[in-house]
């Protein structure tokens, strides 16, 4: 797996913007929830994803990072990410949050589920610094400020802080857990 280069990211962003514009202009086309500034990671400094990848067979090509209280991973399949930790607004018993692909999540990870959070190999995940982002296989995660982590693919994502969470998903979609009342 390779980190996206700036040209590829720019082209991908342009394509997504054109698709969103066309969908907005066509009547009857399902509207995705509009991306908000919370999920716009373009302003953050990109890091080399290779430094965050575990080469251990048991970790199945995942990339890992930590930031503050959060321990996160990208992969192993495209468009998937998860973070271990529990914001105050999470339901009782939750150990993390994940989205798997373009059609599932974000949803809460509970103990005893088959979902694995963290490296099996003992890989020591590097810190993703504040103001940085990492992009791997259509997923970008960023650390906007101390204590906050956010991850997204093109239509699903999550933002976590000690006090709250926010999920991004297509409008009308039901394959996810909900956002807290504001």
């Amino acid at each position: 797996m390779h980190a996206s280069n700036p040209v590829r990211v720019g082209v991908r962003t342009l394509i997504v913007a054109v698709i969103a514009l066309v969908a907005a202009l066509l009547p009857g086309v399902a509207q995705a929830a509009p991306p908000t500034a919370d999920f716009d990671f373009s302003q953050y400094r990109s890091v080399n994803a290779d430094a965050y990848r575990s080469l251990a067979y048991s970790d199945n090509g995942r990339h890992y990072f930590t930031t503050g209280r959060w321990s996160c991973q990208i992969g192993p399949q495209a468009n998937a990410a998860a973070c271990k930790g529990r914001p105050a607004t999470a339901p009782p018993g939750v150990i993390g949050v994940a989205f798997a692909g373009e059609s599932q999540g974000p949803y809460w990870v509970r103990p005893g589920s088959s979902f694995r959070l963290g490296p099996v190999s003992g890989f020591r995940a590097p810190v993703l610094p504040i103001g940085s982002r990492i992009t791997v296989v259509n997923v970008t995660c960023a650390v906007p400020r101390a204590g906050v982590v956010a991850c997204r693919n093109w239509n699903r994502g999550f933002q976590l802080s000690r006090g709250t969470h926010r999920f991004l998903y297509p409008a009308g979609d039901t394959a996810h857990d909900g956002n807290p009342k504001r």
Side-chain angles (χ1 to χ4, degrees), residues 116-136:
R116 189 179 79 198
L117 290 170
V120 172
S121 68
F123 176 76
R124 189 174 174 140
V127 172
L128 185 62
I130 295 169
S132 296
R133 72 174 189 255
I134 180 172
T135 301
V136 180

Side-chain angles (χ1 to χ4, degrees), residues 19 85 135 164:
I19 291 169
T135 301
T164 193

Side-chain angles (χ1 to χ4, degrees), residues 68-153:
R69 65 186 290 152
W70 309 105
S71 176
C72 302
Q73 65 189 41
I74 301 174
Q77 72 269 21
N79 300 307
C83 288
K84 185 176 183 179
R86 187 181 180 284
T89 53
V94 163
I95 59 170
V97 65
F99 57 82
E102 294 295 329
S103 61
Q104 296 181 9
Y107 52 87
W108 297 112
V109 178
R110 300 183 186 284
S113 74
S114 62
F115 198 90
R116 189 179 79 198
L117 290 170
V120 172
S121 68
F123 176 76
R124 189 174 174 140
V127 172
L128 185 62
I130 295 169
S132 296
R133 72 174 189 255
I134 180 172
T135 301
V136 180
V137 199
N138 303 327
V139 172
T140 300
C141 293
V143 182
R145 57 195 169 279
V148 178
V149 65
C151 294
R152 72 169 295 168
N153 57 31

Side-chain angles (χ1 to χ4, degrees), residues 44-66:
Y44 303 114
R45 182 180 52 83
S46 185
V47 299
N48 181 348
D50 292 340
Y52 296 82
R53 182 179 183 199
S54 171
L55 298 177
Y57 179 80
S58 60
D59 288 333
N60 197 19
R62 288 175 177 89
H63 291 71
Y64 299 96
F65 67 91
T66 63

